[in-house]
Amino acid sequence: MASSTAASPLTCHHLGASAAPRSRIPTLSFSLRRRSSKPISLSHSHSLPSKPLFAPPPAASASPSPSPSRGVLQPASASAAAAPAPPPKPALQGAAIKPLLATIATGVLIWLVPAPAGVPRNAWQLLAIFLSTIVGIITQPLPLGAVALLGLGAAVLTRTLTFAAAFSAFGDPIPWLIALAFFFARGFIKTGLGSRVAYAFVAQFGSSSLGLGYALVFAEALLAPAIPSVSARAGGIFLPLVKSLCEACGSRSGDGTERRLGAWLMLTCFQTSVVSSAMFLTAMAANPLSANLTAATIGEGIGWTLWAKAAIVPGLLSLVLVPLILYVIYPPEVKSSPDAPRLAKERLAKMGPMSKAETIMAGTLVLTVGLWIFGGMLNVDAVSAAILGLSVLLITGVVTWKECLAESVAWDTLTWFAALIAMAGYLNKYGLISWFSETVVKFVGGLGLSWQLSFGVLVLLYFYSHYFFASGAAHIGAMFAAFLSVASALGTPSLFAAMILSFLSNLMGGLTHYGIGSAPVFYGAGYVPLAQWWGYGFVISVVNIIIWLGAGGFWWKMIGLW
């Protein structure tokens, strides 16, 4: 009996290990094989994994256990003493200190500066919190939603805003429409419909990245007069399509491939969405407000035909030049792909006919877009149409609520955008914006310049003050009538001034990632860093001003607008 025990070796075969040689003393033999099948033996000179590959059962704690250093049996207590220490707990990941200090310092410094004459103290305090939040959103000591929530918390704790006022914009339809757009994008991609449409686009226009970009730009412009919500156009239709195109071309956010195609395409589609919004009276929800304020201020209205006639030439120039300029200064890594159309057709052939989920998704999109176009006649607003569409997707299981909850970017965007809308809205209610408008009017009027130069100064101040607004409608409501009145008083042709201010009320949305409804949608896709988003936004703003005031001015002279 004893002899048989001695003759039976104790072996552990791991990952294809070879059998241990027979010995009078039981041993442990390990061998790992590379893909070349050349064994690598683990002996005393090699370190073993931190977690033992062999351990005796708990009941045999007093029995011998194998020694990891010599391959012989030792008492279990010695083996336990030689066990490695548990790994350290992961360090806490809090805010980035330097950006956090810069954010706090901005708010404190402005808070301590005495408010100018005519500015209520609560308005000045809210300005300090608002600018501090903007600095935090730019420097990002924490994710954007967390920064915005801290800003709201500071406003409530200092009693600058009540809780209801601070969170009032969470009842605004625009942030929710943007969040719903991300849920639609999830279904669009999940079902494969996004890939199918993307491959169809690539098959037709995909031989070059620039051609693909122009196809999207002009497709969006064609839909613009029919869908009065730029958030709905960007989020419900083009974000899912652009994301699918980027992924089909191997460009994804967060994995280092953003510049392959996605960064340029997202920025191009965003910057041209503000152009298409400026081209038609019905292309942006706030455009009728500009027309109404024009009629109330100068006694002349702006109809759909006049608006489109005046905007068509500078608008088309911007749609052509903006993608090309971005292509030069912020180029995609993949510029030409002559084989892409053929490959896309092969992929479409392999996909076969549309699945049931794709059919439901397509039908839901048709229903939602139809309500966006004809909802005015049916008294159905854009966000109600989007909720109806999402309800269909949830009921049919095309998108699950768990998947909606997992869309962290949607909830993050909803948080920071609603926070900025609330703070910007109360800056207006507290009287800061009216004080600013009156100050600008007095300043420009006292310069004694020609009406052309005076109007140029007014235009720049009106345009770049949009950094303080998270809504085009809020900006128009606060400053449009005042700036139009002073422009007319200084000798600027009234209708000419009204048209320019109306167009710029759309174009200025391209400055930031919160200035117009399409901005959070495309920025939230995660392809373009915030600093680059703002930087290129400023560059394209200069381009648009030159196009619309330069070439547009000549065109308006030709059609008798001034």
Side-chain angles (χ1 to χ4, degrees), residues 246-271:
C246 294
E247 293 187 5
C249 296
S251 181
R252 297 176 176 83
S253 63
D255 67 353
T257 61
E258 296 88 350
R259 290 296 303 274
R260 182 176 175 85
L261 177 65
W264 172 76
L265 203 55
M266 289 289 178
L267 200 56
T268 295
C269 289
F270 165 61
Q271 288 294 342

Side-chain angles (χ1 to χ4, degrees), residues 118-120 123 426-436:
V119 177
Y426 274 88
L427 283 175
N428 187 25
K429 290 182 180 179
Y430 284 171
L432 182 73
I433 304 302
S434 60
W435 168 85
F436 175 75

Side-chain angles (χ1 to χ4, degrees), residues 284 286 289-290 293 421 424-425 428 433-434 436-437 440 458-484 501 504-512 514-516:
M284 207 265 276
L289 176 59
S290 298
L293 290 174
I421 288 177
N428 187 25
I433 304 302
S434 60
F436 175 75
S437 299
V440 168
L458 283 173
V459 161
L460 294 178
L461 289 172
Y462 182 80
F463 193 99
Y464 289 104
S465 63
H466 195 63
Y467 283 110
F468 298 99
F469 289 91
S471 165
H475 193 157
I476 293 168
M479 300 179 66
F480 185 94
F483 275 63
L484 178 56
L501 291 176
L504 295 183
S505 296
N506 290 274
L507 299 174
M508 63 192 181
L511 287 171
T512 66
Y514 55 80
I516 196 170

Side-chain angles (χ1 to χ4, degrees), residues 42-386:
L42 295 179
S43 62
H44 177 66
S45 62
H46 296 277
S47 59
L48 291 173
S50 58
K51 183 177 180 180
L53 298 177
F54 176 84
S61 59
S63 63
S65 64
S67 168
S69 60
R70 299 187 181 183
V72 296
L73 299 180
Q74 292 182 340
S77 58
S79 176
K89 295 182 179 179
L92 296 176
Q93 295 181 350
I97 299 302
K98 290 183 180 180
L100 181 63
L101 292 177
T103 300
I104 296 173
T106 300
V108 171
L109 289 175
I110 298 174
W111 185 287
L112 295 177
V113 172
V119 177
R121 185 61 194 171
N122 59 353
W124 190 253
Q125 291 174 348
L126 183 57
L127 177 65
I129 296 171
F130 179 77
L131 292 179
S132 178
T133 304
I134 294 297
V135 171
I137 284 176
I138 295 171
T139 59
Q140 295 188 35
L142 290 167
L144 302 189
V147 171
L149 198 61
L150 291 178
L152 292 181
V156 173
L157 287 173
T158 58
R159 298 185 179 180
T160 304
L161 291 176
T162 63
F163 182 87
F167 289 85
S168 59
F170 284 87
D172 189 286
I174 298 300
W176 284 103
L177 185 59
I178 292 168
L180 289 166
F182 284 98
F183 304 152
F184 269 81
R186 168 63 74 99
F188 199 67
I189 294 172
K190 172 188 173 182
T191 59
L193 180 63
S195 297
R196 186 181 296 276
V197 175
Y199 288 141
F201 255 82
V202 173
Q204 293 296 322
F205 310 104
S207 58
S208 71
S209 298
L210 192 59
L212 194 60
Y214 276 128
L216 291 169
V217 165
F218 283 96
E220 197 270 342
L222 287 174
L223 287 176
I227 302 177
S229 171
V230 66
S231 304
R233 288 200 312 274
I237 301 173
F238 284 91
L239 174 68
L241 177 56
V242 174
K243 285 185 70 175
S244 298
L245 281 169
C246 294
E247 293 187 5
C249 296
S251 181
R252 297 176 176 83
S253 63
D255 67 353
T257 61
E258 296 88 350
R259 290 296 303 274
R260 182 176 175 85
L261 177 65
W264 172 76
L265 203 55
M266 289 289 178
L267 200 56
T268 295
C269 289
F270 165 61
Q271 288 294 342
T272 52
S273 73
V274 304
V275 174
S276 61
S277 295
M279 291 177 66
F280 305 99
L281 179 63
T282 53
M284 207 265 276
N287 286 346
L289 176 59
S290 298
N292 292 337
L293 290 174
T294 297
T297 304
I298 66 173
E300 294 184 69
I302 305 175
W304 194 97
T305 303
L306 176 60
W307 187 302
K309 181 181 178 181
I312 191 67
V313 170
L316 289 175
L317 283 174
S318 285
L319 291 180
V320 171
L321 292 178
V322 167
L324 187 61
I325 291 171
L326 286 172
Y327 189 79
V328 173
I329 64 177
Y330 193 57
E333 293 174 354
V334 177
K335 297 181 179 180
S336 177
S337 51
D339 292 332
R342 177 181 58 80
L343 294 173
K345 291 176 182 178
E346 292 177 359
R347 294 284 182 89
L348 281 172
K350 289 181 180 179
M351 291 185 74
M354 290 178 62
S355 65
K356 181 180 179 181
E358 286 181 89
T359 304
I360 294 173
M361 187 72 219
T364 304
L365 283 175
V366 171
L367 170 65
T368 306
V369 173
L371 288 175
W372 284 338
I373 296 174
F374 303 108
M377 294 184 288
L378 301 173
N379 200 26
V380 177
D381 57 46
V383 71
S384 298

